[in-house]
Amino acid sequence: MATAARAVPVERVTSERLLLWTLLVVYIFNFLDRQIVTILAEPIKRDLGLSDTQLGLMTGLAFALFYALLGIPIARYADRPTSNRVGLISLSLVLWSGMTALCGMAQNFTQLLLARVGVGVGEAGCTPAAHSLISDMVPRERRASAIAFYGLGIPIGGLIGMVLGGFLADTVGWRQAFLVVGLPGLLLAAFVWFALREPRHGSIATALREGAPKVERISTRAALAEVLGSRAFLLLATAAGLTAFLSYGKGVWVAILFQRTYGLSAGETGLALGVALGLSGVLGTWAGGWLADRFGRHHRRHMLTAPAIAMAIAAPILFLAYSAADWRLALALMIVTTAFNALYYGPTYAIAQQLVRPQARAMATAIMVFAQNLIGLGLGPLFFGMMSDAFKPMAGTESVRWVLYGAAWLGLIPAFFFWRASLRLAPEMAAKADD
């Protein structure tokens, strides 16, 4: 008597929409907890008696060093076929949220620095795993838009951080601000754990793998060699790293410019910069993904055409913004440049996923994150702070403005590297097998 075939058990699978919206909220919290220190920097400086160089170290390098370095081994875990990327994101969220809350309890510069290091350690587990999940669940032709959707967490988190952080700094103080934004992340971590499912696990994933060729596992050295062996990736990582260097540096010191030079309070600065530049960043990030998917399907190089052209146009406009005598005019001009400079995120990370095999996708994201954060977040605010201190004997309170003048024109450099990377996309992406 024939034995009936055993049916595959029914199990809950995370829908693409639930995955993307949940990861967006996670990334909003990620960037909120990372960047709220930007609007709180000036009150912290006054309370703890810090120099501009210490501000740059605390807002940038202390976070970025551990964030960037730990991203690579964590990415190797995320690339393993047996790993649980959902659990990794949930655990990371618990750690960085708790350390954000501890920032509000710091009594001196050293304690605050260590708490910021803890935030960096926690956040290192988020983006490589998130990009890997998105690439597994979203078809290639919509991948730039999907990753750009996830990337909306940057401007939205920045918007909330500036507005809420500035309001809390003016009303209850910077210490309470850290507590208010840090603690809700613990609840979100529980939601992630119970709402999402790792697509590599479970009976359905097992059934789909039966009869299929076994996926080749590659070593860490092989994954690194594959990522770093791509000329297009190296040009792209250079462009993204320089973009982040300028973006993070400008983000911290524009907020300080509005308070120190234009005389706005932390709350007024947070509301003005947060709402205007946050919404502009949302538009630019979304448009960058849409443009990449729309024009990239005709020719791969056009995935980077918009970021290259937009950044070149933004440089002179940004110089005029920093030269403005009235903060309202400066803000109006920065709305335009913020949208232009945000176009790169979706295409950059989508391309990084398509220049390597699936076994190295998280590693590709980790290397890109390494370039953006160690060079960008780690050195941008610190370098700008050091230059501000160096210019003070000559420029006085205008030293921040002097630094920003140079930053505006330096935007031409990443525009050049995005253009150079675009020329190599078609042959390299065609050579990689994809799903």
Side-chain angles (χ1 to χ4, degrees):
M1 183 175 179
T3 303
R6 186 172 58 185
V8 175
V10 176
E11 62 182 72
R12 183 159 57 88
V13 179
T14 303
S15 70
E16 180 182 318
R17 179 174 296 181
L18 176 61
L19 175 77
L20 290 177
W21 277 101
T22 302
L23 291 180
L24 171 61
V25 175
V26 169
Y27 202 35
I28 289 171
F29 272 73
N30 180 295
F31 217 76
L32 167 61
D33 288 1
R34 183 190 315 184
Q35 288 298 100
I36 191 172
V37 72
T38 298
I39 193 62
L40 302 178
E42 194 68 5
I44 292 172
K45 170 186 170 72
R46 291 194 299 265
D47 192 10
L48 300 183
L50 307 183
S51 68
D52 283 352
T53 300
Q54 287 177 309
L55 276 186
L57 181 62
M58 181 266 297
T59 56
L61 188 60
F63 171 93
L65 184 61
F66 287 86
Y67 178 80
L69 291 176
L70 286 174
I72 294 175
I74 291 175
R76 286 306 297 151
Y77 169 79
D79 275 332
R80 290 170 53 188
T82 57
S83 68
N84 186 339
R85 292 166 293 184
V86 171
L88 174 60
I89 293 171
S90 181
L91 180 62
S92 299
L93 182 52
V94 169
L95 180 56
W96 90 62
S97 298
M99 296 307 293
T100 297
L102 285 179
C103 287
M105 303 179 186
Q107 299 301 310
N108 52 54
F109 175 69
T110 300
Q111 292 177 3
L112 185 59
L113 199 68
L114 291 175
R116 287 287 294 169
V117 166
V119 177
V121 170
E123 294 196 4
C126 180
T127 293
H131 281 190
S132 180
L133 278 169
I134 293 170
S135 294
D136 277 359
M137 297 191 65
V138 178
R140 180 175 59 185
E141 61 271 15
R142 291 190 286 107
R143 202 169 286 160
S145 296
I147 290 180
F149 182 81
Y150 170 78
L152 292 178
I154 295 175
I156 296 174
L159 187 160
I160 297 173
M162 294 290 278
V163 175
L164 181 61
F167 171 77
L168 292 172
D170 284 353
T171 54
V172 297
W174 63 268
R175 296 184 184 279
Q176 287 71 24
F178 279 120
L179 295 172
V180 169
V181 302
L183 295 179
L186 303 178
L187 297 177
L188 178 60
F191 176 83
V192 171
W193 178 264
F194 289 108
L196 301 186
R197 288 293 179 269
E198 168 58 66
R200 293 170 175 167
H201 297 169
S203 56
I204 291 179
T206 302
L208 290 175
R209 287 196 296 266
E210 288 180 355
K214 186 176 180 180
V215 177
E216 176 193 0
R217 287 190 61 185
I218 58 177
S219 67
T220 299
R221 178 177 295 182
L224 278 170
E226 181 164 335
V227 173
L228 299 180
S230 166
R231 181 72 180 276
F233 183 92
L234 293 177
L235 290 167
L236 193 62
T238 301
L242 291 171
T243 299
F245 175 85
L246 297 173
S247 177
Y248 283 118
K250 289 181 294 187
V252 171
W253 296 99
V254 164
I256 292 174
L257 175 74
F258 271 55
Q259 296 172 71
R260 191 178 296 176
T261 302
Y262 291 128
L264 276 66
S265 70
E268 292 168 335
T269 299
L271 183 62
L273 294 179
V275 173
L277 302 189
L279 294 177
S280 178
V282 167
L283 175 62
T285 303
W286 174 84
W290 182 84
L291 289 169
D293 282 339
R294 172 69 176 80
F295 295 102
R297 66 170 59 104
H298 301 299
H299 199 295
R300 292 296 184 190
R301 67 183 174 88
H302 289 312
M303 293 183 75
L304 291 175
T305 298
I309 294 175
M311 285 189 175
I313 296 173
I317 300 174
L318 200 54
F319 178 79
L320 294 176
Y322 297 146
S323 305
D326 187 283
W327 68 267
R328 297 168 188 84
L329 176 58
L331 184 63
L333 293 172
M334 281 190 281
I335 289 173
V336 177
T337 60
T338 298
F340 283 175
N341 288 331
L343 292 175
Y344 84 98
Y345 185 91
T348 294
Y349 280 95
I351 290 167
Q353 298 289 289
Q354 296 178 48
L355 289 172
V356 298
R357 289 176 290 169
Q359 302 97 308
R361 281 175 175 167
M363 176 63 80
T365 296
I367 297 296
M368 190 68 70
V369 167
F370 180 90
Q372 282 212 284
N373 286 276
L374 193 60
I375 297 172
L377 181 55
L379 301 181
L382 176 60
F383 178 77
F384 282 31
M386 293 172 64
M387 293 303 297
S388 177
D389 281 338
F391 287 147
K392 273 183 182 177
M394 298 172 287
T397 58
E398 290 289 287
S399 63
V400 173
R401 197 194 296 265
W402 282 29
V403 172
L404 292 173
Y405 285 158
W409 291 109
L410 288 175
L412 295 173
I413 300 177
F416 169 78
F417 280 102
F418 277 122
W419 170 71
R420 289 292 297 165
S422 73
L423 302 180
R424 302 191 63 88
L425 291 186
E428 289 202 25
M429 293 172 74
K432 291 294 177 184
D434 200 358
D435 54 0

